[in-house]
Amino acid sequence: MLLCYDELSQLVSKIGIDSSSLASGLLQMYEAGPFANGVKSGKESFSLQPDTYCTSLIAATTDNKFAELWAKLA
């Protein structure tokens, strides 16, 4: 699985929103744990079993902002 995010700052902002499930979802994928989307339409849903996938995250930022944003993300 490859996750591409245009701006690292936008990703960090979305993770900071109260009751956002984005952070826990990223952690589950990082640990290759069970991951699924809970949507009503069977055509749009998926379920990944533990240790059956690998995830990469690509996001862009400047050299100057990277350390600050990465600290918030981590």
Side-chain angles (χ1 to χ4, degrees):
M1 179 184 316
L2 180 60
L3 304 172
C4 295
Y5 228 88
D6 287 345
E7 293 289 334
L8 183 59
S9 60
Q10 291 176 351
L11 177 64
V12 170
S13 294
K14 288 185 186 229
I15 286 176
I17 296 173
D18 287 340
S19 70
S20 172
S21 62
L22 184 56
S24 63
L26 287 175
L27 285 173
Q28 282 180 313
M29 287 185 280
Y30 172 76
E31 296 172 348
F35 187 76
N37 67 337
V39 296
K40 293 179 183 177
S41 171
K43 292 179 182 178
E44 298 172 2
S45 65
F46 65 87
S47 178
L48 303 173
Q49 299 304 311
D51 298 319
T52 62
Y53 66 95
C54 180
T55 305
S56 294
L57 172 65
I58 298 174
T61 192
T62 63
D63 292 343
N64 296 338
K65 294 289 285 181
F66 178 76
E68 174 190 341
L69 294 171
W70 189 254
K72 290 179 183 178
L73 186 61

